[in-house]
Amino acid sequence: MTKATDLLQFYEDLDLGVYQDLAQELASINHLNIEGELLHQARIYSSYAGLLEHAKKECGNLEIELIRCQTNARIGARESCEAKKIKATVAIMDSFVNSDESCIKLTKKLVELKEKEGLLKSLVNTLSYRKDCLIQLSTHQRNEKKIYS
């Protein structure tokens, strides 16, 4: 497997449990190796930031698909109303859309993708905060070395 494949597999498996474990791991800092932590920080941040962009793309594509599905459901509602010779009100149209199985399925999938996007956004924010902490700790270490040397 490649790193990209591993990241995509991680994305597929991402849920609150996986997030909690990873957030704990990413937030931890080895105080004995601050410089090493800083060196790896950019790579880690880049990976999760890229995955966040992938999640945004997935959500955007699904939103387009959902809009198309809702439009088709409204067209079906209008045709049904015309066939029954009743006025197609907003409430009738909405009830057709809200009861359409395809629209319900896509809406549920969108909710799941938005959750993943939110979790990834939180991980990226954690990594950004971690970077700031690492820089601060590195500065303190350098200052301590100057004082004691």
Side-chain angles (χ1 to χ4, degrees):
M1 271 199 189
T2 65
K3 289 186 186 238
T5 314
D6 290 344
L7 274 174
L8 290 175
Q9 184 61 50
F10 167 78
Y11 176 75
E12 291 301 318
D13 296 340
L14 183 60
D15 62 12
L16 193 55
V18 172
Y19 166 79
Q20 284 296 328
D21 294 339
L22 186 61
Q24 290 296 318
E25 182 183 326
L26 292 177
S28 66
I29 295 173
N30 179 356
H31 292 275
L32 301 175
N33 188 14
I34 300 297
E35 295 305 317
E37 294 273 346
L38 273 168
L39 291 173
H40 292 7
Q41 178 67 22
R43 179 185 52 81
I44 295 168
Y45 183 90
S46 175
S47 295
Y48 289 105
L51 207 52
L52 175 58
E53 292 306 313
H54 174 75
K56 288 178 182 179
K57 181 187 83 170
E58 293 276 306
C59 285
N61 288 339
L62 193 59
E63 286 171 343
I64 291 167
E65 204 174 319
L66 179 59
I67 290 169
R68 184 177 296 132
C69 182
Q70 291 170 334
T71 301
N72 289 337
R74 281 190 172 81
I75 290 169
R78 186 176 305 123
E79 290 171 353
S80 177
C81 288
E82 287 172 359
K84 295 176 185 175
K85 305 233 189 267
I86 59 173
K87 183 179 178 184
T89 64
V90 172
I92 291 173
M93 301 288 267
D94 286 345
S95 68
F96 267 85
V97 170
N98 293 334
S99 64
D100 184 88
E101 285 301 317
S102 299
C103 292
I104 292 170
K105 191 177 188 181
L106 289 173
T107 301
K108 286 180 179 180
K109 181 68 176 166
L110 184 59
V111 168
E112 290 173 15
L113 290 179
K114 291 267 186 198
E115 177 190 28
K116 288 183 181 194
E117 180 184 5
L119 293 175
L120 285 167
K121 194 176 291 186
S122 294
L123 287 174
V124 169
N125 288 340
T126 298
L127 287 166
S128 181
Y129 176 73
R130 183 177 188 266
K131 175 198 66 151
D132 294 342
C133 288
L134 286 168
I135 290 170
Q136 192 68 29
L137 288 169
S138 177
T139 301
H140 288 305
Q141 277 186 347
R142 282 194 305 271
N143 288 340
E144 284 179 4
K145 286 178 184 176
K146 287 179 185 176
I147 290 172
Y148 294 113
S149 47

